[in-house]
């Protein structure tokens, strides 16, 4: 099964860059959504998770808040 990974980011977030770099290093395909440029996605994120902070990474239906590479790998291994 193909993993579904989406990273919600902003352009000014160092932890967002760390998460994207981590995924790149692990050769994990993902979609990045910049919530600064996409207010609809930003609102959907808040409505779904109750969180404003980034990065938030949606991994196979589960949410990972912040830069937590171990949790991402755990979810991908399921």
């Amino acid at each position: 099964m193909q993993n579904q990974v989406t990273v919600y980011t902003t352009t000014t977030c160092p932890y967002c860059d760390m998460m994207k770099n981590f995924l790149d290093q692990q050769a994990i395909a993902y979609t990045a959504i910049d919530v600064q440029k996409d207010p609809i996605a930003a609102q959907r994120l808040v409505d779904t998770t109750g969180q404003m902070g980034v990065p938030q990474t949606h991994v196979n239906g589960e949410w990972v808040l912040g830069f937590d590479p171990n949790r991402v790998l755990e979810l991908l291994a399921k």
Side-chain angles (χ1 to χ4, degrees), residues 39-67:
I40 293 164
Q43 187 58 53
R44 194 171 56 232
L45 189 63
V46 172
D47 291 346
T48 304
T49 67
Q51 299 284 335
M52 288 283 293
V54 287
Q56 290 190 58
T57 308
H58 198 231
V59 181
N60 297 334
E62 300 278 337
W63 288 98
V64 178
L65 180 57
F67 178 63

Side-chain angles (χ1 to χ4, degrees), residues 2-77:
Q2 175 109 24
N3 289 305
Q4 298 290 316
V5 181
T6 305
V7 183
Y8 291 82
T9 72
T10 65
T11 53
T12 56
C13 163
Y15 289 104
C16 299
D17 290 337
M18 288 168 62
M19 180 59 84
K20 291 184 286 187
N21 290 339
F22 168 76
L23 293 169
D24 289 339
Q25 289 165 355
Q26 298 293 317
I28 298 165
Y30 64 92
T31 303
I33 297 176
D34 185 334
V35 296
Q36 280 180 313
K37 296 178 182 161
D38 187 343
I40 293 164
Q43 187 58 53
R44 194 171 56 232
L45 189 63
V46 172
D47 291 346
T48 304
T49 67
Q51 299 284 335
M52 288 283 293
V54 287
Q56 290 190 58
T57 308
H58 198 231
V59 181
N60 297 334
E62 300 278 337
W63 288 98
V64 178
L65 180 57
F67 178 63
D68 188 349
N70 293 332
R71 180 72 179 134
V72 170
L73 291 177
E74 197 177 284
L75 292 170
L76 290 172

